[in-house]
Structures are given as C-alpha cells and as structure tokens.
Amino acid sequence: MEDRTITPSISLPSSSSLPAPEEDKSVLQIWGGSSLQGQVKISGAKNSALVLMAGALLCPDDCRLHNVPSLMDVARMGEILLSLGVKLERHGDTLEINASHIGQSKAPYELVSQLRASFFIIGPMLARLGVARVPLPGGCAIGARPVDLHVQGLRALGADVHIEHGTVHAYVRNGKRLKGAKIYLDCPSVGATETLMMAATLAEGETVIDNAAQEPEVIDLANFCRAMGARIRGAGTNTIVISGVPSLHTTEYTLIPDRIEAGTFLVAGAITHSELSLYPVIPDHLTAVIAKLQAIGAQVITEAPSRLRIVPGRYHTATDIETLPYPGFPTDMQAQFMALLTLSEGDSVITETVFENRLRHVAELNRMGADIRVKGNHAIVRGVPKLSGAPVVATDLRASAALVLAALAADGMTTIQGLHHLDRGYDNLELKLKQVGARVNRIIDNPDAASDASTPTLSPSTLH
Ligand code: EPZ
C-alpha cells in the first residue's frame, strides 16, 4: 500500500468535549406561523455514513468517503475508529480513512455506550483481524435494540462469539478466515444485514443472507464494498449473495442523500403550508412518504431527477400510517408525520411496528395542544385546528424533529430542550430552516456543547 502520511488538518473533538446529554442545556426557540420558501440542501445520509465508516475497516488501504454529513454521531464514530488506531481526516464533507494498521481490537465502552452504531465495527474487525471485542450497545429511548441476529449470523459464519461482562467477544479459531454460510434473519434487520454483509466480504466461499433488509443504506453499503472489490449481488432485495475475496482495495465513494432529512423537510413544507424545493434527493427512496403526503392532500413534484418540491394542500385530511421495513413507510419518519397529522382534519391511526417504544413524542405534542391517544403500539391522532407554542423536551432523535416541525406551525413560541438528540442526526437543521424563512434561535447555555454539537469539527490535536 502506498505509505501516504495524511497531514492532519483537523481532529475529532474528544468524547469528553462532546456534551453529555444531561450537560447540554442549549435550547431551541422557534416562533411559529412563518411561511417558508426557497431551496433546502439535503446532506449525505446519516445511516449510510455510520455503517460505511465501519466498512472502511475492511480495507487495508486509504478510503475516501464524500458527502459525509456533519453530525454528532459521525464525530463519535470517528472517535471509535481513532481509538482502534485508524487514521482519519475530514476536509469539508470528505472523510479520509486509513485502516491499514488496526492496533486495537477492542472498542472502548465509554465511546460505544454513546453510539449504538459503533457495534457495526464487529463484522469488519472479525473479517479483517479474526478477532473483535465490542461492548454490547445498550438499549436506547426507542427500544431494547438487541443484537442477537448479528451474533447468530456471525456464529453461522464460523466465529466463536460469547458475551461476558457486557462485551461481545468474537474470534475465528486458529487464525482462520470466516466461512461463507446460508443465513436466515428472523426479521429484516438493517444492522444485522449490514454486519453480516461486511463480515462475509472476506469470508471463504459464498454467503447467502435471506430475509435481508432492503433499505437504500444497505444498497449504499453494498455499492461501497463492491467499489473496494467485494463481490455482492442482490442488495436491495430480500436475498443478498456475497462471494468472499481474499482482500479489498482502496476506493473513494459518495454517499446517497439522507432520505429521512428530505422527508423531514417535505413535512416542514406541508405543516407550514409552504412550498419548498429539496436538492439533492433520490425520489425513489421516498415513495412511501410521498404517497402519504399525497393521501392527505399535498403534492410532491419531481422538478428534476434529483430535486423534489412540496406543494401543500389548502387543507390536509387524516390518513393512517403503519411503519414497516423498507419499502414500507419508514419508522424514522413516524414522529415527523405524526406532527403533521395533529393538524390534519379527522382521525388518523399511526401504528409503530418496528420499535417497541417509539411513541414518546406523543406527550410533548399533546403539551402543544395536539389530541393524541396511545393504545399499545397505536397512536390515535384527532386533528385540531391549531397547536400552541410551549416548552417541550426532546426524548430521541426523530421525536426532536417532530417537535421542531410542530413548533414551526404552532401559535407563539416553543422552546425545545434535549438538543443533543437533534444534533446526533441532523446536519445544521436550524441553519437550513432559517435560510428558508423560519424564525429559529439556539440559546447556548453550554457554549462548548453547542459548537461541538451542531458542527462537529476536526482539529490538529488528535489527528494521526
Ligand atoms: C437502523 O437501526 C437505523 N440506524 C435506524 O435509524 C432505523 O430506524 C432502523 O434501522 C430501521 O430502519 C442505523 O442505520 C444507524 P434494525 P437498526 O436492526 O439496524 C430488532 C434513526 O433514527 N432487532 O432494522 O438498529 C430491533 O429491536 C435510527 O436514524 C432484533 O430483534 O434497526 C427492531 O425492533 C433509529 N435483533 C427491529 O429488529 C437484532 O439483532 C429493526 O431493527 C437486530 C434488530
């Protein structure tokens, strides 16, 4: 491999400098009632960035990722990679990763506990080194988030995997390679599909993953791995076939745009009765969301191959939503759509089938005057004529987005606490909203937190 020392331009903030949730007292103030107009730039997909950063561990060479969003979760995944001895450098939205020397097979608990997606490193580490020790990712606000399907699949690939003292210890006996296997997933888990696809790229022989997840981010990962020389077919269907190769090679790859950020801004247009254009987007990734916007009376127009425009209806009517694995309605858009339905005429039933505790935004929306009742995994939303601004607290990433959307439409001012949730998954959301006319202001109670949180940067101190 060409030995190019990457000159550090900036380094990741150390996790100690990132605000612990309880420390982040920053507050978002939003004055509702403004109509929005203009164009929103959609960033690269968070759920591609996190898994592709882990996927770069498969490559004993430089990898370059373009269109990487500036997010807290990306900064934290970068911390995890740095802790393994990986070289990392960020130039704008390009991330240069060099995993030629992985000096450490154990990820530190204090980092893994802050980012569930860090569990993605287990597949590549096992495939590359034959050993991986990764703390069990805890549950989170939306559910227990088990990793049993990941573990079962890695065992099927020939790894010895046991869990001790909260850490998953995985290794391949006698320094052998993983062996291809036929794996059936009890549920089409995105993470398990991605973990096993990455592990199988360097396994001996062929692996078949049945009942695989079909999300666009799974396809993005497969395309990235294929660009590194992996042999994968069927990504985007429920059966993925991987033929192992001895090693992968350098590549550079551009991430897809974030379909959930795009969906969030489509809803922002609808809920404020404003026309907004979004660019770049991949309309096919938003079929279910667009169908539901049309069902309530809005229009979504494809202005160009990668540009969408939301045109709100004079008024919106109720519709039912059931979250399902892709290509069904995405669970990551459930909270945002609920905010919209609180102001739609009639009763809507929202059924959350993917995660067991992803209706926590209901209480906060009701504080703003919504009329929502929860029965099991169903939320019955009765449309009301208006919402009123109120102090609310975000409970998880997509709940925070739902509260922002509700605040944009509410009478008066809303203050939103718990911004560390928002900053995990949205790239400069308030700046993008301000640019199209929203009245949004971030009050910084913890100056270090806000600067680190909203635009994670890299500085020379810790770059290798
Ligand atoms: C990914 O999470 C996304 N995160 C989530 O986005 C998204 O909501 C989810 O897929 C579903 O689309 C990333 O890609 C980083 P799953 P993941 O494994 O992989 C159960 C956001 O807001 N399950 O598809 O964790 C699990 O409990 C985040 O951007 C097992 O039982 O989701 C859940 O009920 C939130 N055992 C269901 O499968 C396992 O081993 C779907 O989970 C794995 C999962």
Side-chain angles (χ1 to χ4, degrees):
M1 178 199 82
E2 177 199 348
D3 177 18
R4 281 183 306 123
T5 306
I6 297 171
T7 44
S9 64
I10 38 188
S11 74
L12 291 158
S14 71
S15 61
S16 55
S17 73
L18 298 179
E22 60 284 355
E23 282 167 24
D24 179 8
K25 296 282 186 290
S26 302
V27 165
L28 214 49
Q29 290 177 327
I30 300 178
W31 287 267
S34 305
S35 63
L36 311 180
Q37 65 174 23
Q39 175 178 293
V40 179
K41 166 80 169 58
I42 300 300
S43 301
K46 166 180 87 78
N47 290 348
S48 283
L50 297 176
V51 69
L52 269 69
M53 288 171 76
L57 290 169
L58 290 165
C59 179
D61 210 332
D62 288 334
C63 275
R64 190 168 290 157
L65 298 178
H66 300 294
N67 200 29
V68 178
S70 181
L71 303 172
M72 173 78 86
D73 275 7
V74 168
R76 287 193 164 131
M77 181 58 97
E79 281 256 297
I80 299 269
L81 296 183
L82 285 171
S83 73
L84 300 174
V86 173
K87 293 180 182 172
L88 204 64
E89 175 180 353
R90 180 163 197 152
H91 286 294
D93 72 0
T94 292
L95 208 48
E96 296 202 355
I97 304 175
N98 183 304
S100 51
H101 302 292
I102 301 176
Q104 170 66 262
S105 65
K106 178 168 170 46
Y109 173 72
E110 69 277 3
L111 294 179
V112 171
S113 61
Q114 295 190 53
L115 176 67
R116 293 187 36 70
S118 47
F119 197 71
F120 282 137
I121 65 172
I122 193 165
M125 296 283 284
L126 207 45
R128 207 41 222 283
L129 304 179
V131 63
R133 290 173 294 155
V134 187
L136 264 182
C140 69
I142 65 177
R145 311 294 293 274
V147 289
D148 55 313
L149 299 179
H150 301 239
V151 171
Q152 286 163 23
L154 292 173
R155 284 179 175 146
L157 291 169
D160 277 76
V161 186
H162 66 276
I163 298 171
E164 208 168 42
H165 307 304
T167 293
V168 180
H169 297 261
Y171 59 97
V172 188
R173 285 185 188 285
N174 312 324
K176 291 209 177 79
R177 284 167 65 189
L178 292 169
K179 285 185 76 64
K182 190 167 169 53
I183 300 166
Y184 173 78
L185 294 178
D186 288 348
C187 80
S189 155
V190 173
T193 301
E194 293 169 338
T195 287
L196 300 174
M197 186 164 72
M198 290 189 284
T201 57
L202 299 176
E204 235 170 68
E206 182 175 271
T207 296
V208 178
I209 303 174
D210 266 331
N211 198 24
Q214 304 177 48
E215 273 70 2
E217 294 76 23
V218 172
I219 302 173
D220 217 17
L221 174 64
N223 290 338
F224 169 56
C225 291
R226 287 150 55 114
M228 290 191 285
R231 293 171 56 203
I232 301 172
R233 60 182 196 278
T237 74
N238 60 6
T239 302
I240 301 177
V241 182
I242 305 104
S243 305
V245 294
S247 69
L248 300 184
H249 55 71
T250 182
T251 190
E252 56 183 297
Y253 186 80
T254 300
L255 278 59
I256 57 173
D258 194 313
R259 61 191 168 101
I260 306 301
E261 184 190 21
T264 303
F265 276 101
L266 289 175
V267 172
I271 204 169
T272 58
H273 288 280
S274 311
E275 293 194 22
L276 284 177
S277 285
L278 313 180
Y279 171 84
V281 294
I282 300 175
D284 287 354
H285 291 172
L286 286 152
T287 305
V289 172
I290 291 169
K292 284 299 174 181
L293 285 165
Q294 290 169 341
I296 67 167
Q299 288 301 317
V300 181
I301 298 162
T302 302
E303 290 184 315
S306 53
R307 182 191 301 270
L308 285 181
R309 183 170 189 79
I310 172 78
V311 179
R314 259 180 340 99
Y315 59 90
H316 295 139
T317 55
T319 188
D320 293 345
I321 302 272
E322 182 181 28
T323 65
L324 288 167
Y326 195 90
F329 189 90
T331 174
D332 294 349
M333 279 298 303
Q334 178 259 103
Q336 299 92 308
F337 223 88
M338 184 186 291
L340 178 56
L341 292 174
T342 64
L343 290 167
S344 299
E345 285 178 15
D347 290 0
S348 304
V349 179
I350 296 177
T351 305
E352 172 58 56
T353 70
V354 177
F355 289 110
E356 67 268 28
N357 191 28
R358 204 172 198 177
L359 296 173
R360 299 180 63 199
H361 37 283
V362 166
E364 296 304 294
L365 289 171
N366 284 342
R367 284 175 47 73
M368 298 176 71
D371 177 355
I372 311 168
R373 285 171 297 123
V374 174
K375 287 192 182 311
N377 67 335
H378 304 281
I380 297 97
V381 184
R382 172 153 297 175
V384 294
K386 69 180 182 63
L387 295 176
S388 56
V392 290
V393 180
T395 51
D396 58 77
L397 167 56
R398 304 303 175 184
S400 56
L403 295 174
V404 169
L405 295 169
L408 291 172
D411 289 352
M413 184 180 80
T414 299
T415 55
I416 303 175
Q417 292 183 42
L419 299 186
H420 56 282
H421 292 296
L422 195 69
D423 295 331
R424 282 189 44 219
Y426 284 92
D427 186 347
N428 283 306
L429 182 67
E430 69 248 33
L431 177 65
K432 294 184 179 181
L433 285 171
K434 276 184 189 167
Q435 287 169 341
V436 290
R439 292 177 58 203
V440 183
N441 189 28
R442 183 183 283 244
I443 305 285
I444 299 171
D445 279 20
N446 177 342
D448 296 341
S451 60
D452 282 337
S454 52
T455 49
T457 57
L458 302 170
S459 56
S461 54
T462 58
L463 256 205
H464 298 264

